[in-house]
Amino acid sequence: MGSDDTGARPTRSTRRTFLSTSAAATVAVPALAGPAAATALPAGPGHPARAQRPDRELRDLLRQVDPRRIEAIVRRLAAFGTRHTLSSQDDPQRGIGAARDWIYARLQEYAATSGGRMTVELQSYVQQPASRIPTPTRITNVVATLRGQSTPNRTYVVTGHYDSRVTDVMDAVSDAPGADDDASGVAVVLELARLMATRPTAATIVFAAVAAEEQGLYGSAYLAAQLKSAGADVQGMFSDDIVGSSTADDGTRDPYAVRLFAEGVPTAETPAEATTRQSVGGENDSPSRQLARFVRDVAENDATGMLVRVIYRRDRYLRGSDHISFLREGWPAARFTEPNEDFAHQHQDVRVQDGQQFGDLPEFCDFAYIARVARVNGAALWSLAQAPGTPKGAVIVTTDLTNNTTLRWQRGDEPGLAGYEVVWRETTAAEWQRVIAVGDVTEVSIDLSKDNVFFGIRAVDRAGRRSPVAYPPPRRLRSPCDQEVCVTTRRSR
């Protein structure tokens, strides 16, 4: 989705105007690579949207994802017997405490290679009796934080949960190997922490193995609350939960696809925000949907070898994962999971019944597949952490009734920021279709009716890396520059 002047010097004005023909017609274009592929696009201002190609640094990172290391992690976690939240916390060989300490030791090893950029902590609290927690229970997340070098408060989070279960969610004694659910997700987190520890990033990345997901998302809720209280600007979160197998219950395989669940109506939407959404649309333009579009834009390519199938739901039927804890805090979050599940190998007692093996065992995992899922996560996290942040304060100005569209936003403070792009699409399209490079400005007017299409704004740095899109709600401004949404653009240095 690039443009010819991505790396150009910023313009001196805070405002630009673009004229166009009507967007009602369509024009034939060649098939495009990436998620914006189409045989016809709307006519109007801008260039056809195209996927962001991985640069040499990202390709090098993704090449180093090691399926053998991932397999070793999954098998070691399964070998702890059970990792049930209510299992032993002090047995050195069996139970959740032994798994916790092993994960902590691995992350400390990775942090030692980071030159001080990565720190590791055991983030603990005592959960009082609650649903699926019969007695006071210590819940501990293992958290590695890779601090960003230029915008450290801007934060991205990736999690897998290291607790496990069998058929009875309260059975803390039986073997619960939890290879797919969710040693696979923890393996993704650990492998990415290993590779990114040696690489400086602009923004902060949090790699977390969270606890008590099976009992009710307790660990991730605590992690999200801690980040909120610390004032972190969490602009994206991914839960990797059940990413270990490419084989469905009927034996069919889909080894080159991963599902990404992304909600539409925000979990934390206020009544006022709901009223606005109902008035002008936006059910398909939540921050989580923009995050999912970004993932497809940067991670569906030959460097990952994967198709990212975005599912327009918060999660699967009757299930929920740790991204929900972040959605409840009002942050963009989505869940990666395998394309077709085999429920004989999830939440099951380990047994053979009528000749069929039940249980979440490592033998049913596809370690090369987990590595490809790790590459998708790595492409998304690296691209997010190196690009500018999502624009803030974006609005569509609705002071007067007009047939054009005026957009305003706040300028970011990233050192390498080059400017902004406006993206737009037909209201029936799932992906952004056209891109207008507008330069280093904080206001733009486009001769295209806001009644007929959807608009978004994203930031671009001097290397051409792009942020996720900010979807602008309507705002009636009382003056030419409302203090809440309009700031003066700094002139080019």
Side-chain angles (χ1 to χ4, degrees):
M1 297 184 197
S3 58
D4 295 338
D5 60 348
T6 295
R9 291 169 60 86
T11 61
R12 295 185 179 184
S13 172
T14 63
R15 186 175 189 273
R16 294 187 71 180
T17 300
F18 289 81
L19 302 179
S20 78
T21 59
S22 169
T26 59
V27 293
V29 298
L32 305 178
T39 57
L41 290 176
H47 306 290
R50 296 184 184 274
Q52 180 170 296
R53 302 295 300 169
D55 60 20
R56 182 180 302 176
E57 190 172 25
L58 176 55
R59 286 182 180 275
D60 179 65
L61 186 155
L62 300 182
R63 274 194 298 268
Q64 295 184 49
V65 173
D66 188 347
R68 292 169 299 179
R69 287 179 179 270
I70 286 172
E71 179 177 359
I73 292 168
V74 171
R75 292 190 181 279
R76 185 65 190 93
L77 289 173
F80 287 112
T82 181
R83 304 188 306 277
H84 194 281
T85 300
L86 305 178
S87 64
S88 173
Q89 300 215 16
D90 52 20
D91 186 320
Q93 302 299 324
R94 180 181 176 87
I96 195 166
R100 172 202 64 211
D101 294 344
W102 185 86
I103 294 168
Y104 180 63
R106 300 292 78 71
L107 288 174
Q108 283 187 310
E109 290 175 3
Y110 307 154
T113 69
S114 71
R117 293 186 302 274
M118 179 180 282
T119 57
V120 184
E121 64 174 316
L122 293 173
Q123 187 186 77
S124 297
Y125 80 104
V126 175
Q127 175 62 50
Q128 296 303 313
S131 176
R132 298 184 177 182
I133 304 288
T135 60
T137 302
R138 180 167 294 279
I139 293 173
T140 303
N141 301 321
V142 190
V143 182
T145 302
L146 182 63
R147 183 174 174 81
Q149 302 301 287
S150 58
T151 55
N153 195 50
R154 178 162 58 95
T155 302
Y156 303 96
V157 182
V158 60
T159 70
H161 71 85
Y162 72 98
D163 60 308
S164 63
R165 61 165 288 186
V166 289
T167 305
D168 179 359
V169 72
M170 301 304 291
D171 181 353
V173 177
S174 299
D175 281 352
D180 193 1
D181 186 13
D182 184 37
S184 65
V186 174
V188 168
V189 171
L190 292 185
E191 180 67 354
L192 293 179
R194 179 183 74 88
L195 293 173
M196 293 188 181
T198 60
R199 295 166 164 84
T201 57
T204 293
I205 305 177
V206 173
F207 306 88
V210 296
E213 189 271 351
E214 302 288 8
Q215 305 308 109
L217 313 184
Y218 289 101
S220 59
Y222 187 72
L223 171 62
Q226 293 299 106
L227 288 166
K228 176 75 78 171
S229 65
D233 180 17
V234 177
Q235 294 195 11
M237 181 272 180
F238 302 114
S239 168
D240 282 86
D241 194 354
I242 311 180
V243 294
S245 175
S246 59
T247 305
D249 53 4
D250 64 359
T252 58
R253 298 186 66 240
D254 192 359
Y256 300 102
V258 64
R259 288 183 292 175
L260 182 60
F261 284 83
E263 71 174 11
V265 176
T267 295
E269 184 179 68
T270 66
E273 289 167 341
T275 298
T276 298
R277 175 180 52 77
Q278 291 163 359
S279 173
V280 301
E283 294 82 2
N284 198 21
D285 281 285
S286 66
S288 296
R289 293 272 167 92
Q290 307 303 346
L291 181 65
R293 291 184 177 110
F294 180 90
V295 173
R296 291 195 67 198
D297 194 47
V298 302
E300 193 172 274
N301 51 53
D302 63 330
T304 68
M306 290 288 276
L307 169 73
V308 180
R309 183 183 179 189
V310 177
I311 307 294
Y312 286 164
R313 288 194 172 102
R314 187 169 77 168
D315 212 316
R316 297 112 72 236
Y317 280 93
L318 304 179
R319 307 293 281 273
S321 190
D322 292 304
H323 64 301
I324 295 173
S325 296
F326 285 74
L327 294 172
R328 288 170 176 160
E329 296 290 356
W331 290 323
R335 182 230 175 104
F336 285 107
T337 202
E338 62 200 30
N340 299 290
E341 298 174 78
D342 187 341
F343 297 106
H345 306 305
Q346 298 176 22
H347 296 189
Q348 292 284 344
D349 295 335
V350 179
R351 68 192 190 279
V352 176
Q353 182 175 319
D354 298 328
Q356 181 180 4
Q357 177 70 63
F358 286 81
D360 192 355
L361 299 163
E363 64 200 69
F364 298 108
C365 286
D366 179 344
F367 303 109
Y369 174 78
I370 302 172
R372 286 192 290 274
V373 174
R375 292 187 185 103
V376 170
N377 277 260
L381 287 165
W382 184 259
S383 299
L384 286 165
Q386 299 295 61
T390 306
K392 295 181 181 295
V395 297
I396 287 181
V397 178
T398 56
T399 304
D400 300 308
L401 289 176
T402 66
N403 283 319
N404 66 3
T405 301
T406 297
L407 302 163
R408 289 182 183 174
W409 59 93
Q410 296 172 0
R411 190 185 191 280
D413 58 1
E414 295 87 352
L417 181 65
Y420 293 88
E421 294 175 339
V422 171
V423 295
W424 63 273
R425 70 181 198 274
E426 296 283 5
T427 61
T428 53
E431 303 285 346
W432 297 111
Q433 295 175 301
R434 298 192 75 89
V435 183
I436 308 169
V438 298
D440 193 357
V441 300
T442 55
E443 179 180 325
V444 64
S445 290
I446 300 170
D447 187 17
L448 192 61
S449 175
K450 53 190 168 291
D451 294 327
N452 298 337
V453 302
F454 286 129
F455 287 96
I457 301 147
R458 65 188 181 195
V460 186
D461 70 9
R462 296 189 186 105
R465 293 177 292 238
R466 304 187 293 262
S467 76
V469 169
Y471 178 72
R475 180 71 59 84
R476 179 175 295 179
L477 304 182
R478 296 183 299 273
S479 68
C481 188
D482 188 298
Q483 292 181 352
E484 293 182 4
V485 299
C486 187
V487 296
T488 301
T489 301
R490 288 176 291 183
R491 299 178 67 171
S492 173
R493 292 182 175 85

